[in-house]
Amino acid sequence: MNDQPVSARTYNNVVVPTGEKVLFQDGDPVTPNHPIIPFIEGDGIGPEISDATRLILDKAVSLAYGPDRSIAWLEIFAGDKAKETFGKALPDDTLEAIRDFGVAIKGPLGTPTGGGMRSLNVTLRQHFDLYRCVRPVRYFSGVPSVVKRPKDLDVVIFRENTEDVYAGIEFKMGSEGAVRLIEVLKELGTIVRDDTGIGIKIQSKFGAQRIVRAALDYAVAHGRTVVTIVHKGNIQKFTEGAFLEWGLEVARDEFGDKVVFEDDLWSKHGGNLPEGKILVNSRIADAMFFELLTKSSKFSVIATMNLNGDYLSDAAAAQVGGLGIAPGANIGDACAIFEATHGTAPDIAGKGIANPCSLLLSGVMMLEYLGWNEAATIAVKAIEKTIRAKTVTGDLARFMTNATALGTSDFANAVVGNMKALPKRRKPVKSGK
Ligand code: NAI
């Protein structure tokens, strides 16, 4: 069923290429050999980094699997390009294509601040219930960093993506909603000034538990030994504090045989994590910023609410060399969108100098998500080699000594040039009689 070709329908006038759909089973993708992957170029520098990314991913897949596997790219539209061509920043066909094909990749999209339309990024996350924002943050040797030991940081951040202050429950000062809510709040005995705008922070038990479960599942699957729940429960007891409580409940009830809690680490295990176990601990958000910087190597997987996760991901990315190289993914149980973590960089758009690594490494995450780990490894090794050779885009080159600053497409070609097929695995020697 998975190898059935998709009929030649179009999305926003683009004919679907020959290929197959990624299906989902129990929340995980089932990848065909030629998956159709919709891509949104994005605004600003989006087209430049999107071209570079597809070039590199295609080459890595081809080196890893030859003609047996390939990605059938389908362009879909959002942002400025969609508005110009179809009169809508997020056409229905775009949503349908993402829903139909399940896995997509997107460049950055511009969002007005302080009014205007809602962020397209937030809309996509809500629409497809992409509740996991996953941000791996690691150091690539040679990348200029503001800290002394950037290599110490190697974390994967699981940020809850649909609730908290991002749920979109906001009332402008003086609006009917704000006036009525203020009345209710006064009735409940709280003091709120009349000239107040209101934004509501929500956190459900369901939402908290599924993100902590995803973080724990990831730690188990990838042999990571620490999961830290980050919260601000000392101040916001029934949202942030409850997030911690509900998270610990999942760890205890569903992963009880695999985890050790911080309290028990010393009292029961003399401070040593038993072999094969995962340490589950927690940190208050402000302390976490301090410790991530000063005790980086103590952390591995982080589970946290939406706003904390937003701040933490960018701070962590800054530690290893900036947003230009930090990848990200928004993942649900029947859909996943991989995206650059930086914005549209309007100041350098169209100049051909943008760093494609953030989108590219998001593409690498996508390959891993699809189970194409060999292609992902080929791409990562080539990126590492290119950066080590100090052939990088200008944003990195200007902080490195003796580096060669390349434009976006020259950098992409350099990465492709540095790609090597993985050595063939030797067949196991049959034991003789
Ligand atoms: P930005 O990330 O676009 O730019 C900040 C600075 O970083 C600029 O100096 C820019 O030139 C530089 N930069 C960013 N990406 C780069 C890259 N790949 N290579 C080299 N330099 C890079 O943030 P800004 O200026 O605050 O936002 C611009 C627009 O992007 C806004 O409309 C904002 O809403 C949107 N945005 C979209 C995001 C998304 O689609 N996920 C995320 C963040 C912002």
Side-chain angles (χ1 to χ4, degrees):
M1 183 174 136
N2 210 15
D3 287 327
Q4 288 295 314
V6 175
S7 63
R9 79 153 277 189
T10 61
Y11 293 84
N12 279 130
N13 308 330
V14 179
V15 178
V16 176
T18 306
E20 300 105 36
K21 289 184 183 195
V22 176
L23 301 177
F24 284 82
Q25 209 166 35
D26 301 325
D28 292 320
V30 181
T31 310
N33 285 334
H34 305 282
I36 296 165
I37 306 287
F39 70 95
I40 296 169
E41 282 192 335
D43 300 328
I45 58 171
E48 300 153 57
I49 59 174
S50 180
D51 282 351
T53 295
R54 279 177 285 118
L55 175 84
I56 293 168
L57 296 183
D58 282 342
K59 181 73 183 170
V61 170
S62 151
L63 267 179
Y65 312 113
D68 294 344
R69 292 182 185 175
S70 64
I71 296 175
W73 298 106
L74 166 66
E75 181 166 14
I76 55 171
F77 303 90
D80 294 343
K81 199 168 172 181
K83 224 166 157 189
E84 278 160 27
T85 323
F86 308 105
K88 221 173 158 187
L90 191 57
D92 296 344
D93 266 11
T94 296
L95 293 172
E96 266 181 48
I98 296 174
R99 189 202 57 208
D100 291 348
F101 297 109
V103 177
I105 185 164
K106 65 171 273 294
L109 296 169
T111 313
T113 313
M117 68 177 187
R118 188 161 183 222
S119 154
L120 294 176
N121 302 308
V122 175
T123 307
L124 285 170
R125 289 170 202 164
Q126 301 276 356
H127 185 87
F128 292 107
D129 194 23
L130 306 176
Y131 63 91
R132 281 174 261 169
C133 175
V134 184
R135 293 263 200 105
V137 185
R138 56 154 285 202
Y139 181 64
F140 283 85
S141 195
V143 171
S145 160
V146 290
V147 301
K148 281 191 182 152
R149 294 191 306 275
K151 224 182 190 134
D152 286 359
L153 189 70
D154 178 3
V155 293
V156 182
I157 300 172
F158 282 74
R159 161 188 170 197
E160 202 291 320
N161 222 5
T162 60
E163 299 193 312
D164 198 350
V165 289
Y166 289 69
I169 310 173
E170 287 200 294
F171 300 93
K172 197 174 175 181
M173 182 195 83
S175 67
E176 189 198 341
V179 171
R180 284 172 59 184
L181 276 168
I182 289 168
E183 271 167 27
V184 172
L185 289 169
K186 283 181 179 165
E187 273 168 37
L188 292 172
T190 52
I191 301 165
V192 184
R193 291 173 52 93
D194 288 333
D195 60 343
T196 295
I198 296 183
I200 292 188
K201 179 180 180 93
I202 57 162
Q203 181 58 61
S204 70
K205 182 173 180 178
F206 173 79
Q209 294 200 323
R210 66 179 178 171
I211 193 69
V212 174
R213 186 179 297 117
L216 284 160
D217 274 337
Y218 180 91
V220 172
H222 293 84
R224 293 206 168 225
T225 54
V226 188
V227 174
T228 306
I229 301 175
V230 176
H231 64 96
K232 188 73 186 165
N234 54 330
I235 304 298
Q236 299 160 54
K237 299 187 192 316
F238 306 121
T239 48
E240 300 265 351
F243 181 89
L244 170 64
E245 245 172 63
W246 294 327
L248 291 175
E249 191 180 289
V250 165
R252 198 169 45 241
D253 294 352
E254 299 176 25
F255 297 83
D257 57 334
K258 298 187 176 74
V259 302
V260 168
F261 293 97
E262 195 165 29
D263 286 349
D264 297 335
L265 186 65
W266 286 97
S267 62
K268 293 188 184 158
H269 304 286
N272 300 312
L273 187 65
E275 184 73 22
K277 297 278 185 187
I278 296 166
L279 172 67
V280 173
N281 57 15
S282 65
R283 291 289 181 274
I284 291 178
D286 42 313
M288 184 65 185
F289 278 93
F290 181 85
E291 287 198 35
L292 203 60
L293 198 52
T294 54
K295 301 178 188 171
S296 310
S297 59
K298 297 240 175 261
F299 301 99
S300 181
V301 176
I302 293 165
T304 191
M305 286 175 61
N306 211 336
L307 184 61
N308 295 331
D310 194 358
Y311 294 157
L312 260 182
S313 314
D314 282 12
Q319 231 168 294
V320 296
L323 281 178
I325 55 163
N330 298 299
I331 304 176
D333 288 335
C335 182
I337 301 180
F338 295 80
E339 67 174 1
T341 53
H342 54 73
T344 58
D347 50 336
I348 58 166
K351 295 186 179 157
I353 56 172
N355 183 351
C357 282
S358 174
L359 188 63
L360 172 57
L361 290 166
S362 306
V364 169
M365 282 177 81
M366 182 179 81
L367 295 178
E368 287 167 353
Y369 177 76
L370 294 172
W372 292 7
N373 294 320
E374 298 79 6
T377 304
I378 288 173
V380 168
K381 280 181 183 288
I383 296 165
E384 285 172 342
K385 193 171 172 193
T386 312
I387 295 174
R388 265 201 318 272
K390 299 191 177 192
T391 42
V392 290
T393 44
D395 55 314
L396 299 183
R398 84 183 109 117
F399 298 111
M400 294 162 86
T401 41
N402 302 324
T404 310
L406 299 179
T408 312
S409 66
D410 286 342
F411 175 78
N413 288 329
V415 173
V416 167
N418 283 327
M419 269 186 194
K420 267 214 285 224
L422 297 177
K424 289 229 161 46
R425 276 215 206 125
R426 263 192 269 151
K427 286 195 180 138
V429 182
K430 280 190 190 152
S431 57
K433 281 189 184 165

